Protein backbone atom coordinates (compact mmCIF):
# COMPACT_ATOMS: atom_id res chain seq x y z
CA UNK A 1 0.00 0.00 0.00
CA UNK A 2 1.38 3.44 -0.88
CA UNK A 3 1.18 6.47 1.36
CA UNK A 4 0.07 9.89 0.14
CA UNK A 5 3.51 10.98 -1.02
CA UNK A 6 4.04 7.84 -3.07
CA UNK A 7 6.10 6.12 -0.41
CA UNK A 8 5.27 2.55 0.43
CA UNK A 9 3.70 1.94 3.79
CA UNK A 10 6.15 0.38 6.23
CA UNK A 11 5.62 -3.30 7.02
CA UNK A 12 7.79 -3.43 10.15
CA UNK A 13 7.43 -1.04 13.08
CA UNK A 14 8.93 2.36 12.29
CA UNK A 15 11.12 4.06 14.86
CA UNK A 16 10.05 7.45 16.18
CA UNK A 17 13.57 8.59 15.19
CA UNK A 18 12.76 7.82 11.53
CA UNK A 19 9.50 9.78 11.58
CA UNK A 20 8.75 13.46 11.07
CA UNK A 21 8.99 14.10 14.81
CA UNK A 22 11.11 16.33 17.02
CA UNK A 23 12.24 15.52 20.53
CA UNK A 24 11.07 18.59 22.45
CA UNK A 25 11.95 17.30 25.92
CA UNK A 26 13.25 14.06 27.37
CA UNK A 27 10.73 11.34 26.40
CA UNK A 28 8.39 13.86 24.69
CA UNK A 29 8.04 14.11 20.90
CA UNK A 30 5.96 16.35 18.64
CA UNK A 31 5.40 15.30 15.05
CA UNK A 32 3.33 14.79 11.95
CA UNK A 33 1.72 11.81 10.27
CA UNK A 34 1.37 13.21 6.71
CA UNK A 35 3.91 10.73 5.30
CA UNK A 36 1.73 7.81 6.37
CA UNK A 37 -1.71 8.70 4.96
CA UNK A 38 -3.70 5.56 4.20
CA UNK A 39 -1.15 3.40 6.03
CA UNK A 40 -1.40 1.13 9.02
CA UNK A 41 1.73 1.66 11.10
CA UNK A 42 3.35 0.58 14.33
CA UNK A 43 5.66 3.08 16.02
CA UNK A 44 8.67 1.83 17.97
CA UNK A 45 10.51 3.82 20.62
CA UNK A 46 7.49 5.31 22.36
CA UNK A 47 4.98 3.95 24.86
CA UNK A 48 2.04 6.18 23.99
CA UNK A 49 0.89 8.08 20.89
CA UNK A 50 -1.69 10.85 20.92
CA UNK A 51 -3.26 11.32 17.48
CA UNK A 52 -4.98 14.69 17.06
CA UNK A 53 -6.06 14.29 13.43
CA UNK A 54 -9.50 13.56 12.10
CA UNK A 55 -10.59 12.11 8.78
CA UNK A 56 -8.11 14.05 6.62
CA UNK A 57 -5.40 11.70 7.84
CA UNK A 58 -6.47 8.11 7.51
CA UNK A 59 -3.33 6.67 9.09
CA UNK A 60 -4.09 3.86 11.50
CA UNK A 61 -1.72 3.38 14.41
CA UNK A 62 -1.60 -0.25 15.45
CA UNK A 63 0.94 0.02 18.24
CA UNK A 64 1.78 1.37 20.86
CA UNK A 65 -1.06 2.52 23.08
CA UNK A 66 -3.10 5.17 21.27
CA UNK A 67 -5.24 8.09 22.40
CA UNK A 68 -7.30 9.74 19.65
CA UNK A 69 -8.55 13.30 20.18
CA UNK A 70 -9.43 14.77 16.76
CA UNK A 71 -9.07 18.55 16.49
CA UNK A 72 -9.76 20.95 13.58
CA UNK A 73 -6.62 23.15 13.63
CA UNK A 74 -8.48 26.40 14.20
CA UNK A 75 -9.58 28.64 17.05
CA UNK A 76 -12.62 26.42 17.69
CA UNK A 77 -10.26 23.83 19.22
CA UNK A 78 -9.78 26.14 22.21
CA UNK A 79 -13.27 25.13 23.39
CA UNK A 80 -11.69 21.81 24.39
CA UNK A 81 -9.07 23.39 26.67
CA UNK A 82 -10.41 21.75 29.86
CA UNK A 83 -10.15 18.29 28.25
CA UNK A 84 -6.77 19.10 26.65
CA UNK A 85 -5.39 20.33 29.98
CA UNK A 86 -6.54 17.11 31.65
CA UNK A 87 -4.93 15.07 28.88
CA UNK A 88 -1.72 17.14 29.19
CA UNK A 89 -1.65 16.30 32.90
CA UNK A 90 -1.98 12.61 32.08
CA UNK A 91 0.83 12.85 29.50
CA UNK A 92 3.10 14.72 31.92
CA UNK A 93 2.56 11.98 34.51
CA UNK A 94 3.46 9.35 31.90
CA UNK A 95 6.68 11.20 30.99
CA UNK A 96 7.61 11.55 34.68
CA UNK A 97 7.06 7.78 35.09
CA UNK A 98 9.62 7.20 32.35
CA UNK A 99 7.27 6.55 29.42
CA UNK A 100 8.01 8.12 26.04
CA UNK A 101 5.09 10.03 24.51
CA UNK A 102 4.56 11.16 20.90
CA UNK A 103 1.96 13.86 20.21
CA UNK A 104 1.07 13.76 16.51
CA UNK A 105 -1.15 15.68 14.12
CA UNK A 106 -1.13 15.89 10.32
CA UNK A 107 1.82 18.27 9.79
CA UNK A 108 3.11 18.16 13.37
CA UNK A 109 2.87 21.89 13.96
CA UNK A 110 -0.32 23.36 15.39
CA UNK A 111 -2.62 20.82 17.02
CA UNK A 112 0.34 18.82 18.30
CA UNK A 113 1.99 22.10 19.33
CA UNK A 114 -1.00 23.08 21.43
CA UNK A 115 -1.08 19.80 23.37
CA UNK A 116 2.71 19.55 23.57
CA UNK A 117 2.82 23.09 24.97
CA UNK A 118 0.20 22.27 27.58
CA UNK A 119 2.20 19.16 28.49
CA UNK A 120 5.42 21.17 28.81
CA UNK A 121 3.58 23.60 31.08
CA UNK A 122 2.55 20.66 33.31
CA UNK A 123 6.08 19.25 33.29
CA UNK A 124 8.12 22.41 33.86
CA UNK A 125 5.68 25.19 34.85
CA UNK A 126 7.05 27.34 32.02
CA UNK A 127 5.30 30.51 30.83
CA UNK A 128 3.37 30.49 27.57
CA UNK A 129 5.99 32.70 25.89
CA UNK A 130 8.80 30.36 26.88
CA UNK A 131 6.84 27.34 25.63
CA UNK A 132 6.13 28.94 22.24
CA UNK A 133 9.81 29.89 21.79
CA UNK A 134 10.91 26.41 22.85
CA UNK A 135 8.54 24.62 20.47
CA UNK A 136 9.46 26.89 17.55
CA UNK A 137 13.14 26.25 18.22
CA UNK A 138 12.67 22.47 18.25
CA UNK A 139 9.92 22.05 15.63
CA UNK A 140 10.05 24.08 12.39
CA UNK A 141 6.74 25.89 11.82
CA UNK A 142 5.32 25.03 15.23
CA UNK A 143 2.33 27.15 16.24
CA UNK A 144 2.41 29.27 13.06
CA UNK A 145 -0.38 29.65 10.52
CA UNK A 146 -3.75 27.95 10.63
CA UNK A 147 -4.87 27.59 14.21
CA UNK A 148 -1.29 27.82 15.41
CA UNK A 149 -1.33 31.59 15.72
CA UNK A 150 -4.46 31.39 17.90
CA UNK A 151 -2.92 28.60 19.94
CA UNK A 152 0.30 30.60 20.43
CA UNK A 153 -1.70 33.66 21.50
CA UNK A 154 -3.45 31.52 24.11
Amino acid sequence: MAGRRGKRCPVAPISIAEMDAARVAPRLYQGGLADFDRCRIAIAGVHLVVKLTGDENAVQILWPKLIEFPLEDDVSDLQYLPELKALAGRLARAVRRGDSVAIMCHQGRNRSGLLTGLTLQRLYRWSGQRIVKHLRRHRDGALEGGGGDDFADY
Side-chain angles (χ1 to χ4, degrees):
M1 174 182 250
R4 186 182 69 133
R5 296 185 183 175
K7 296 179 182 178
R8 296 203 50 82
C9 292
V11 177
I14 185 165
S15 166
I16 190 69
E18 299 173 73
M19 296 184 70
D20 178 22
R23 182 179 167 272
V24 297
R27 297 180 304 281
L28 183 62
Y29 298 86
Q30 177 186 346
L33 294 166
D35 288 343
F36 301 103
D37 282 358
R38 296 187 302 275
C39 291
R40 296 174 58 176
I41 63 170
I43 303 172
V46 293
H47 299 96
L48 174 64
V49 173
V50 180
K51 180 181 165 198
L52 300 171
T53 58
D55 291 338
E56 93 279 355
N57 186 19
V59 65
Q60 293 179 0
I61 297 172
L62 306 174
W63 183 84
K65 185 175 179 181
L66 174 68
I67 296 172
E68 293 189 78
F69 196 113
L71 295 174
E72 296 297 322
D73 194 14
D74 63 36
V75 71
S76 70
D77 292 333
L78 295 177
Q79 69 183 314
Y80 301 110
L81 276 175
E83 294 89 346
L84 290 167
K85 287 178 179 181
L87 179 54
R90 179 177 170 190
L91 300 177
R93 287 189 297 277
V95 168
R96 283 190 198 107
R97 258 193 330 263
D99 292 343
S100 293
V101 174
I103 301 172
M104 312 292 280
C105 62
H106 191 70
Q107 294 293 324
R109 295 185 177 101
N110 296 331
R111 292 169 281 192
S112 60
L114 174 62
L115 184 56
T116 302
L118 291 171
T119 304
L120 288 170
Q121 198 281 325
R122 296 298 184 281
L123 284 168
Y124 303 118
R125 302 290 184 230
W126 289 348
S127 70
Q129 286 181 327
R130 182 172 181 184
I131 289 168
V132 170
K133 285 180 185 177
H134 180 83
L135 290 177
R136 288 179 175 165
R137 188 171 56 247
H138 286 82
R139 180 79 183 152
D140 188 43
L143 298 174
E144 295 178 341
D149 295 321
D150 295 313
F151 301 160
D153 288 344
Y154 168 76

